[in-house]
């Protein structure tokens, strides 16, 4: 009898009524700036560098972030939809009740961050950096995470649904109780002690058997 697939409830972002009518532009971002309850669409946020910026109750739609570095970013109740955050630096970000929908996240730097109640769907996070990250109640669905770096991170109530995790690195990150059975984990970089308790398909188990030094005839 197979293991019943685990499910978790991720809290959705909370937005004020009529937020689509509160259109705004974000530019000239300074340290400790705060942006709340606005709708930002069809624009570019470019060459911005700041620390400890706060985003609350904001929707970004069709927004390109270019050459931007926002260290120690505080994000709560935010949705990124059809946005390009490729190679953007969000080092040390605290992200809560946030959605990334159909976004380009190639090379996004979330190292040393904290993610809780985050939902990522149909995104391209190839080569994303998520080292030393704390994740709790996070769902990755139909998302490309090929060559992503999750090393030395802490996972709690994490779900990968039909994700591409080929060649991603998870050494130093425990996968206990993490269901990888319907994701592609070919070439996953992991240590023997980190895969203990992981939920995998029979074919994936054969691949992991090599890591354990088991010879299958």
């Amino acid at each position: 009898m197979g293991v019943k697939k685990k499910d978790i409830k991720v809290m959705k972002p909370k937005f004020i009524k009529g937020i689509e009518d509160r259109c705004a532009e974000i530019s000239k971002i300074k340290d400790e700036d705060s942006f709340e309850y606005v709708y930002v669409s069809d624009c570019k946020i470019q060459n911005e560098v700041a620390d400890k910026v706060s985003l609350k109750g904001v929707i970004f739609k069709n927004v390109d972030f270019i050459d931007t570095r926002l260290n120690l970013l505080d994000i709560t109740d935010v949705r990124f939809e059809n946005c390009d955050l490729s190679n953007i630096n969000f080092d040390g970000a605290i992200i809560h009740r946030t959605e990334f929908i159909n976004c380009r996240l190639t090379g996004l730097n979330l190292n040393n961050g904290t993610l809780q109640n985050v939902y990522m769907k149909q995104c391209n996070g190839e080569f994303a950096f998520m080292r030393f990250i704390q994740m709790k109640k996070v769902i990755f669905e139909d998302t490309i995470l090929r060559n992503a770096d999750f090393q030395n991170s802490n996972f709690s109530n994490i779900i990968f649904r039909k994700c591409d995790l080929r060649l991603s690195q998870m050494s130093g990150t425990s996968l206990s109780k993490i269901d990888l059975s319907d994701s592609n984990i070919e070439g996953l970089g992991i240590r023997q002690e980190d895969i203990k308790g992981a939920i995998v398909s029979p074919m994936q188990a054969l691949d992991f058997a090599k890591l354990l030094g088991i010879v299958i005839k």
Side-chain angles (χ1 to χ4, degrees):
M1 185 175 181
V3 177
K4 184 177 180 181
K5 200 166 183 64
K6 181 181 178 182
D7 201 3
I8 63 172
K9 291 184 178 180
V10 170
M11 296 174 66
K12 292 181 174 293
K14 300 177 181 179
F15 303 113
I16 63 171
K17 186 176 181 179
I19 188 173
E20 291 83 359
D21 297 325
R22 296 173 60 93
C23 297
E25 294 184 4
I26 293 181
S27 62
K28 297 182 180 179
I29 303 175
K30 303 184 297 296
D31 290 351
E32 301 186 16
D33 270 351
S34 179
F35 302 92
E36 299 184 355
Y37 311 115
V38 292
Y39 184 82
V40 183
S41 66
D42 302 293
C43 65
K44 295 180 180 180
I45 296 177
Q46 189 168 3
N47 299 322
E48 299 291 344
V49 179
D51 293 340
K52 298 182 179 179
V53 173
S54 175
L55 303 173
K56 184 175 182 179
V58 181
I59 293 179
F60 294 96
K61 188 171 183 178
N62 303 321
V63 176
D64 292 343
F65 292 77
I66 303 171
D67 294 329
T68 293
R69 183 185 183 102
L70 301 176
N71 294 318
L72 306 177
L73 185 64
D74 190 343
I75 302 177
T76 303
D77 295 323
V78 172
R79 179 186 299 139
F80 297 91
E81 185 176 351
N82 302 326
C83 293
D84 190 342
L85 295 98
S86 299
N87 302 311
I88 297 306
N89 194 321
F90 286 171
D91 188 275
I94 298 175
I95 304 176
H96 181 45
R97 289 199 305 265
T98 295
E99 297 176 338
F100 297 85
I101 309 297
N102 193 34
C103 290
R104 185 173 177 83
L105 310 174
T106 307
L108 173 67
N109 181 1
L110 288 172
N111 287 343
N112 306 297
T114 300
L115 275 63
Q116 185 168 349
N117 289 298
V118 171
Y119 180 51
M120 192 177 294
K121 182 177 181 180
Q122 295 178 340
C123 294
N124 185 347
E126 189 169 7
F127 292 104
F129 296 94
M130 301 187 194
R131 281 191 172 197
F132 301 100
I133 199 168
Q134 304 291 319
M135 288 192 196
K136 184 176 182 180
K137 292 188 177 181
V138 177
I139 296 176
F140 297 93
E141 183 171 351
D142 194 19
T143 286
I144 298 171
L145 295 163
R146 191 166 54 242
N147 290 292
D149 191 344
F150 295 92
Q151 294 184 80
N152 299 299
S153 293
N154 190 309
F155 288 176
S156 176
N157 289 318
I158 307 301
I159 289 182
F160 293 98
R161 293 178 183 154
K162 298 182 180 179
C163 291
D164 183 350
L165 288 160
R166 286 176 292 171
L167 301 175
S168 62
Q169 299 298 313
M170 294 190 180
S171 180
T173 300
S174 173
L175 298 182
S176 179
K177 300 180 181 179
I178 304 297
D179 191 340
L180 302 170
S181 61
D182 63 1
S183 292
N184 189 334
I185 58 172
E186 182 181 351
L188 180 71
I190 193 73
R191 301 181 309 182
Q192 179 177 330
E193 57 266 37
D194 298 324
I195 64 172
K196 184 178 180 180
I199 301 169
V200 298
S201 70
M203 288 302 296
Q204 290 170 337
L206 292 177
D207 290 334
F208 280 135
K210 301 173 185 176
L211 183 63
L212 296 173
I214 298 173
V215 178
I216 300 174
K217 297 180 67 175

